[in-house]
Amino acid sequence: MTQQAEASRPQIPLHDRLAQLLAGPVALDKRALLGTLYAEVNRREAVAYAAGWNDALATARRGSRRDDDA
């Protein structure tokens, strides 16, 4: 899935996602649970990081347009 699609997907709070993992249909052992949680946090960090870069690039573009107009 692309980062843009990830960003547009509704976000479940991390606390709720952890509750889903703990109460899921298949009980996960500790290693599997930690691995799944790590992957979830890592994915969320990547989406947030990309969103931050997109915001920064948009701000920089707006700033350079203002400089060109001056």
Side-chain angles (χ1 to χ4, degrees), residues 9-37:
R9 190 170 72 172
Q11 277 294 344
I12 299 171
L14 191 55
H15 181 269
D16 293 343
R17 180 66 179 130
L18 179 57
Q20 284 177 347
L21 292 171
L22 289 171
V26 178
L28 298 175
D29 66 5
K30 288 180 184 178
R31 284 185 184 261
L33 179 60
L34 286 174
T36 303
L37 182 59

Side-chain angles (χ1 to χ4, degrees), residues 1-9 43 46-47 50:
M1 187 176 280
T2 65
Q3 288 180 345
Q4 186 176 11
E6 288 277 339
S8 65
R9 190 170 72 172
R43 183 189 64 78
V47 169

